Amino acid sequence: MAFSIALIIILGLLSESVLKKVGIPGLVGMLFCGMLLGPHALNIIKPELLAVSADFRMFALAVILLRAGLKTRKEAVNRVGRVSVVMGFLPSTMEGVAIAFAAPYLLQISYREAVLLGFVVAAVSPAVIVPAMIDFADKKIGTLKGIPSMLLASSSLDNAYVIVVFSALLGIHVGAAKGLSWLFAIPQSILLGVAVGLGSGYILWRVFEHYSVRATKMTLAILAVALLLIWLEELVKPYIVMSSLLAIMGTGFILLEKAEERAHKVSAKLSKVWIFAEIILFVLVGAQVDIDLALKTGLAGVLLIGTGLVVRSIGTFISVSGTALSSGEKLFCIISYIPKATVQAAIGAVPLEAGIKGGDIILAVAVLSIIVTAPLGAMGIQFSGRNLLARE
């Protein structure tokens, strides 16, 4: 396993450096590096590492979501809160429904399977969006109108919402859940996640104030709490749903509000941790991608994904309509909602593992959506952000 980790780091850094020189975001190189090293290509990464890749990816997500929370100010949330909420629900709902209607005609699967497929593909990737928005926030790009904060919050809400809906639909499909009680799980997951995150952030703040903890130890403690929140979500899942993603962001948010100087020190430390975490995250996401499987759906799969993106873009435009954003800024928001990666890699294979007919097609389209949208979205965010957003 040590050799695999070393190879991932070296080749991840190399691919990032090469692509950045030609104006392409480094994460695109990391994704393709993972595809090359993974079991579906050269098969160099050890199976033991792949077996725990989900844990590594969650660690990396915890790092980036903490950084997101530590960059999200209350004033910015108040300014764009309503838009963030609408963007957290409307575009993914419209995309999921559009795919559910189109998939039976394009892929010859049932409507029940198509609905599952819709809410596998519908989630955006915080792993792609959040680092870009943090970078823009650091450079004061788009911050006058709170655009980075808006997209940080909305992408996390989008993920929490889609995962809850997908889990509920899967339970109904296999007979583990009945009726419409799952509708209550959506607000429950979001509100409980936010409440737990705010509570954990408040407790950490009091501890840090009382014991005058140094920045490095604060960072380790916050990371430990973030991982515990992920564990807590899994622990209580049989009884109650909670979004650990929102809880982690909430923890960082409270620390910024209560102790800004400490929050900046922790954020600086986490930015160094992210250098390693980013490589691990995107290389291991890439390693999950089976290009042969993705090609199984062919042109029909690409057309389905394209249809979903068009409808999602309409939903995003509706979400930002009536705001003070310019046409260029609205276009940036639409482009930022293109990339998919993390959720699709995490849940794409779940229907197949559950023995659902058409599960192989669902997995193939999920994989194809990563290949098509992650590089396209990452490049689009960087290019449009530099050209469409105002620098403060």
Side-chain angles (χ1 to χ4, degrees):
M1 190 186 291
F3 174 76
S4 294
I5 293 175
L7 194 63
I8 286 172
I9 293 171
I10 292 168
L11 294 183
L13 286 170
L14 183 62
S15 60
E16 178 194 35
S17 177
V18 169
L19 288 193
K20 274 189 173 179
K21 286 183 178 179
V22 295
I24 298 173
L27 68 87
V28 176
M30 296 176 199
L31 280 169
F32 283 108
C33 177
M35 292 181 199
L36 185 65
L37 297 176
H40 307 294
L42 297 179
N43 195 23
I44 295 176
I45 299 176
K46 290 287 185 182
E48 311 91 85
L49 181 57
L50 291 172
V52 295
S53 67
D55 297 314
F56 275 106
R57 296 200 306 271
M58 287 307 299
F59 169 77
L61 273 179
V63 173
I64 198 60
L65 288 168
L66 277 174
R67 291 188 67 203
L70 291 165
K71 294 286 183 183
T72 306
R73 296 184 177 277
K74 185 168 69 175
E75 311 88 72
V77 172
N78 290 338
R79 190 161 68 245
V80 299
R82 182 193 65 80
V83 183
S84 294
V85 171
V86 176
M87 284 185 71
F89 296 96
L90 185 62
S92 53
T93 301
M94 290 179 63
E95 182 179 17
V97 171
I99 289 174
F101 277 107
Y105 299 99
L106 292 172
L107 300 175
Q108 285 74 54
I109 59 177
S110 72
Y111 279 108
R112 291 183 68 184
E113 294 152 10
V115 171
L116 274 177
L117 172 60
F119 282 91
V120 168
V121 176
V124 296
S125 175
V128 178
I129 295 173
V130 171
M133 293 309 120
I134 290 174
D135 183 52
F136 287 148
D138 288 339
K139 295 174 180 176
K140 302 295 183 182
I141 297 175
T143 48
L144 280 171
K145 296 182 182 178
I147 294 171
S149 296
M150 178 178 73
L151 289 166
L152 286 173
S154 65
S155 61
S156 299
L157 267 177
D158 176 282
N159 267 236
Y161 167 64
V162 170
I163 290 170
V164 170
V165 173
F166 168 77
S167 301
L169 291 171
L170 183 68
I172 293 169
H173 199 101
V174 299
K178 299 185 184 298
L180 295 176
S181 59
W182 61 272
L183 285 172
F184 296 103
I186 296 169
Q188 181 188 95
S189 171
I190 292 167
L191 294 174
L192 186 58
V194 171
V196 169
L198 297 181
S200 62
Y202 181 81
I203 292 169
L204 281 170
W205 166 63
R206 295 304 297 254
V207 170
F208 295 156
E209 287 291 307
H210 187 269
Y211 292 102
S212 299
V213 184
R214 295 183 63 179
T216 302
K217 291 185 177 179
M218 281 194 296
T219 305
L220 291 173
I222 292 167
L223 270 174
V225 168
L227 295 174
L228 284 173
L229 290 171
I230 295 170
W231 167 79
L232 179 63
E233 180 184 17
E234 291 298 317
L235 182 69
V236 302
K237 187 178 285 185
Y239 316 103
I240 193 169
V241 288
M242 181 197 86
S243 171
S244 60
L245 302 182
L246 293 174
I248 292 169
M249 276 195 70
T251 301
F253 173 81
I254 282 294
L255 288 171
L256 179 64
E257 288 301 310
K258 293 293 186 181
E260 184 169 340
E261 186 179 347
R262 291 178 186 271
H264 289 321
K265 289 179 181 178
V266 172
S267 184
K269 296 286 185 183
L270 286 173
S271 67
K272 295 178 174 63
V273 177
W274 175 242
I275 295 171
F276 167 74
E278 181 184 30
I279 296 170
I280 294 295
L281 173 63
F282 288 109
V283 172
L284 290 180
V285 166
Q288 302 296 312
V289 174
D290 184 344
I291 297 176
D292 291 333
L293 182 62
L295 294 175
K296 179 179 178 181
T297 60
L299 184 60
V302 174
L303 184 59
L304 183 67
I305 292 165
T307 301
L309 287 178
V310 169
V311 175
R312 165 178 279 276
S313 298
I314 294 170
T316 307
F317 178 76
I318 294 171
S319 301
V320 296
S321 295
T323 66
L325 300 184
S326 67
S327 298
E329 289 164 339
K330 290 174 183 177
L331 178 58
F332 171 77
C333 293
I334 291 170
I335 293 170
S336 296
Y337 252 35
I338 287 176
K340 305 172 186 299
T342 328
V343 173
Q344 289 72 27
I347 67 175
V350 172
L352 181 62
E353 292 166 357
I356 292 173
K357 184 182 177 183
D360 57 336
I361 295 176
I362 292 173
L363 176 57
V365 176
V367 169
L368 187 62
S369 71
I370 297 172
I371 296 172
V372 171
T373 67
L376 183 67
M379 290 186 285
I381 289 170
Q382 292 299 325
F383 179 80
S384 62
R386 289 193 297 266
N387 292 281
L388 299 176
L389 299 184
R391 186 184 292 270
E392 189 175 333

